[in-house]
Structures are given as C-alpha cells and as structure tokens.
Amino acid sequence: MLNRAVRVSTSIALATAVLTLSESAAVAGNFGAPIGASVQSNKWVFAYYTNLPIELAQHTTWVRGNSINADSRHGLTSPGTSDHSVTDIAIDADYGSSGPQASQWGWAGCPSVSGGVCVHGHATYNTYNTNQATSGWPIRATMCQEIGHLLGLGHRYASDSCMQNLGAYYYGAHDAGHLAAQYGTVK
Amino acid sequence: MPSSRRVLSSALFTGAVLVLSACGAQAARTGSNTGDRTSPPSEVASSGQASASSDVVSKSSKKLQLAGPSVYRFDDLTDMLATANAVVEGEVLSVSRGVTKGQHAKYTNRNVLLKVTTLYSGTAPDTITVSEWGWDENGDEITADGWEGSKPGDRLLLYLAKGEEDGATVYWALNANAQFLLADESKPVKTGNGPDAVGEKVKALNPAALRKATVDAKKEVDAKKTPPRKPGDYLPSVSTDPTPPPGVASNPALPDMPK
C-alpha cells in the first residue's frame, strides 16, 4: 500500500513536470499572420518591466483583465492556456521624438517562441507618445494591440478591432475567430 | 514513511529539474537576457566595395520581429506626401551603428547613408542619414513591421520625417508603409506591413508606377487639396468612447481604477 502510494505520488509529480514542459506545445500552430511565426527560429525583440506610472499600470491591468480574460467581449475564456502566452507586459521609458521609435505608440515582441507561438512575451509602450495622448484609452487600445500581436494576431485593415483601429480596445470578430482556433473558446 | 518522503521529494526534485532545464533550453534557444551577448556592431558596411556586405553589420544570425501601431495613419500617398518633410529616392551607400535608446529595453538604431538621386517633395541634401530600427542589446537585428533593415546597394523610395539624434540631422520613415524597396523594376515594390489603407493601395505597384503615383501626389498637394496629418489625428476625441463595430456591444464601462 505504501509502495503504491509512493508510485502514485511519483507519477503525479512527474506528470506535473511533463505537463508543464508540454504546455507550450499544446498551443503550437500558426494562424493568421502572426508576428514572429513566419520564421519560427526568430527571436522577437523584448522589453522589461520598469516602474510604471500609476495610470499606465492601471490601464495595462485593465487590458489584461478585460480584453484578454473572460469578462470581456472577445476575450479569451481559457486563461489557463493563454496566460502563459503573455506572461509579462513591459512599459518602457521615453524613446523621444525622433527616429523610428518616435513613429510608434508601442511595440511588441517575444523572447520565447515555441512552435510559432509566443510563450513569454512583452509589450512596450512608448511613454513619449503616452504623454501626447493625454488620455487613458489610447493606452488601453495600444496595449490591446500589443497583446494581440503576442497572441499571434497581425495588423489588418479593418475598423472593428484594436489590431487596426486604435479607437477600439477590444478584438473584432475576425480576431476572435483566430484566437478561438488557436487557444480555444472565446467569449 | 521517511522512505516515501525521500522518494516523493526525489520525484518533485526531478520534476523541478526538468522544468528548470526547459527554461534553460528556452533561454539558450532564444538568446534571452542572460548569458552571452553580442554587442551591436560598430563596423560600417558600404556599397561599392568588393569585401563589404551587410553581413559585416549583422554579426548575429538572429532576427527579431517587432510590430506595433504607428502614430500616423494614411489613406493614400497624397496624405503621406503632405505630411512628409521630404520624399526621396536614392541608393544606400552604407549602414552603420546609430544612437542607442531606452532605459530598460535598449535599441541601437541603424544609420543608413542614402545618396539622394531624386527629390520628389520637400528639401534634402544630396546625402542624408536615415535612421531605422537596428539591433537590440544582444546585437540581434530587428525587423520592424515587416521591414528588413536596409542594406548597401538597396534602392529606396522613402516618405520621411526629419529631426535630430545626438545633435545630428536624421530622417526616418513616417511609418511602415512609408518606405519602399525598389528591388526589381518589373515587380511590385516591397514595403512594410502596417495597417494603413495606403499599404493596400501601393503594394501591387512596380517602381515606375510608384514613382508616377508619387509625382501625382505631389501635384495634388501643391494644389493644396490635402493638408498634412498630425500624429494621432486619426484617433477619436479623448472625450468620446470609441464606436464599436456593428453587431458588437458597446465598450465595457471603464472600471474605477484603484489608486
């Protein structure tokens, strides 16, 4: 009986480890025009957490909670399979008013890609442009798009989605279809 | 009982090692922020030299893909030309390391020395420096919105903004769809994959058609039919909640954020 209990415990522990190891493989596969997936050996550019201005932190939290998770229209309802795909959101500092960074509200990249899917990603908001925006919702809209990139969504020319229209801070039905195919049920 | 604890502990340790190994393998595979780093290159690659190539600049074999929304959004080339400080065609003479930006995520820009052969709009000297996304702090080359970094010998048509980096005058493309590689006169030009309407309109043009469209855009702007765009002017008013698409419920009410 004791030996059997040990064997079961051992099996559970190893199964947990294997499950963890295979987690990224469970969401492998490409869809749409995912950033980073066309050349799977590529590493995406990444950013780091820094001290977030309170408004950025609040709105980024809102995006994570409402654009991605269950309570939002077209948000993912499978946080267990999605959270590991976007594990960090980075807000970085002023990149200034000149050069290619000045033309961007933000950008996204992924240091860890497995099977064409980002398993650890970062989104960066250019705080120089944050200050120009003077409002919270462009932050939400931008972070919605950056997270969408990390989930595999590319840009597209349509007005019903934050993947094109920064006026929206939600994913359109087209995006939801891709996300559902990739990650499971979406709301 | 102590024996079972040892076995269980061993199993859990084994599991932990497997997870850590996976993390280590991942870090090794992706060249994450631990371990060896390759500094951005300092050498200059130039055209017209037998031994020179872009490989001199791209020491790392990795390429990083980056995407994000632009502060500009253009409907057509006329919009873009009206906003640009200069619209030029030219040949890349050399590429080199530019300024490094960022407090945490650091990027070293790519300075592209361009010999201007045609000035379509605005003003520009015979040779200009165009600043592009270059390398991350690991020295890995960046591909931004589908635009590969320019290489010596490339022929480009660019809609440019103008400013300063480290006290030097530089130009940069207004957005991903404001830069065109004229690789083959008989084939469509190559551009970035920004979400602008202009991208869809020009992607099928060959170099000759793009040149003509640019000249036509200049004529229209000169007739004062198109004002320049300002950053973010396509965004709704900050006091207006964005309108959701048909068939989609209104945006969720904004929650009170904890202070």
Side-chain angles (χ1 to χ4, degrees):
Chain A
M1 189 66 178
L2 180 62
N3 286 341
R4 183 176 179 185
V6 169
R7 281 198 301 274
V8 170
S9 298
T10 304
S11 298
I12 291 172
L14 289 175
T16 302
V18 171
L19 184 64
T20 304
L21 286 171
S22 63
E23 194 173 24
S24 60
V27 296
N30 300 335
F31 59 96
I35 301 303
S38 58
V39 184
Q40 294 185 10
S41 61
N42 283 358
K43 178 170 77 70
W44 297 359
V45 72
F46 55 92
Y48 302 92
Y49 259 115
T50 183
N51 295 324
L52 304 187
I54 185 66
E55 186 185 41
L56 288 176
Q58 290 168 348
H59 288 291
T60 301
T61 299
W62 185 93
V63 169
R64 295 186 76 175
N66 293 277
S67 290
I68 297 298
N69 291 325
D71 292 337
S72 175
R73 165 188 65 254
H74 300 322
L76 294 173
T77 57
S78 305
T81 58
S82 65
D83 279 0
H84 75 277
S85 293
V86 185
T87 54
D88 281 308
I89 295 174
I91 308 294
D92 217 311
D94 185 352
Y95 284 86
S97 60
S98 65
Q101 293 82 15
S103 297
Q104 303 286 137
W105 293 104
W107 49 87
C110 181
S112 300
V113 178
S114 177
V117 169
C118 177
V119 293
H120 182 85
H122 302 272
T124 299
Y125 198 97
N126 186 353
T127 53
Y128 171 78
N129 288 324
T130 305
N131 294 333
Q132 317 307 308
T134 71
S135 172
W137 70 256
I139 300 172
R140 299 180 186 191
T142 297
M143 297 315 294
C144 177
Q145 183 173 122
E146 301 309 345
I147 292 171
H149 286 314
L150 295 178
L151 291 172
L153 298 174
H155 291 144
R156 65 190 182 88
Y157 192 66
S159 61
D160 67 343
S161 163
C162 65
M163 297 315 296
Q164 185 274 340
N165 179 13
L166 279 191
Y169 36 84
Y170 44 78
Y171 301 104
H174 181 90
D175 308 317
H178 284 306
L179 295 175
Q182 181 68 21
Y183 297 103
T185 306
V186 296
K187 185 176 181 180
Chain B
M1 196 63 176
S3 172
S4 68
R5 280 182 181 163
R6 277 199 301 274
V7 174
L8 180 57
S9 298
S10 175
L12 290 172
F13 174 76
T14 302
V17 169
L18 286 172
V19 173
L20 291 173
S21 298
C23 294
Q26 183 77 1
R29 184 168 61 252
T30 60
S32 66
N33 55 336
T34 58
D36 293 339
R37 292 184 176 185
T38 304
S39 298
S42 56
E43 293 91 335
V44 174
S46 307
S47 64
Q49 299 177 23
S51 61
S53 76
S54 59
D55 291 337
V56 175
V57 170
S58 302
K59 283 183 175 177
S60 170
S61 61
K62 292 175 184 170
K63 288 189 177 181
L64 316 178
Q65 297 195 32
L66 175 152
S70 170
V71 299
Y72 286 111
R73 196 67 57 82
F74 300 112
D75 291 333
D76 51 38
L77 290 177
T78 306
D79 266 346
M80 211 151 70
L81 187 140
T83 307
N85 295 122
V87 180
V88 305
E89 180 177 337
E91 181 184 354
V92 176
L93 298 176
S94 66
V95 297
S96 62
R97 178 179 176 175
V99 301
T100 297
K101 292 182 175 181
Q103 294 180 348
H104 295 269
K106 296 182 186 297
Y107 306 98
T108 298
N109 289 342
R110 175 197 308 268
N111 279 351
V112 176
L113 190 63
L114 188 80
K115 179 183 178 183
V116 176
T117 56
T118 305
L119 179 65
Y120 293 95
S121 181
T123 58
D126 292 343
T127 303
I128 62 174
T129 298
V130 180
S131 181
E132 296 182 345
W133 289 92
W135 302 267
D136 78 350
E137 62 201 56
N138 296 324
D140 295 339
E141 195 170 4
I142 294 171
T143 297
D145 284 328
W147 179 258
E148 301 276 350
S150 297
K151 301 182 297 296
D154 283 350
R155 175 156 288 276
L156 307 174
L157 197 158
L158 304 168
Y159 288 65
L160 297 166
K162 178 183 177 183
E164 288 190 355
E165 286 187 333
D166 274 359
T169 299
V170 295
Y171 297 77
W172 61 94
L174 285 169
N175 68 13
N177 291 130
Q179 46 202 351
F180 303 93
L181 175 62
L182 316 180
D184 188 324
E185 291 294 324
S186 64
K187 294 180 179 178
V189 297
K190 296 179 180 177
T191 185
N193 56 12
D196 302 50
V198 67
E200 288 297 312
K201 292 177 180 175
V202 302
K203 68 181 183 182
L205 300 180
N206 64 25
L210 177 64
R211 292 182 185 108
K212 181 180 184 306
T214 299
V215 169
D216 291 345
K218 171 65 173 168
K219 290 177 181 174
E220 186 166 348
V221 170
D222 286 347
K224 300 188 185 305
K225 293 180 181 177
T226 304
R229 293 284 176 94
K230 295 182 176 63
D233 70 354
Y234 60 93
L235 297 172
S237 163
V238 294
S239 61
T240 304
D241 200 35
T243 303
V248 176
S250 62
N251 282 312
L254 307 186
D256 292 330
M257 299 292 181
K259 295 293 183 183

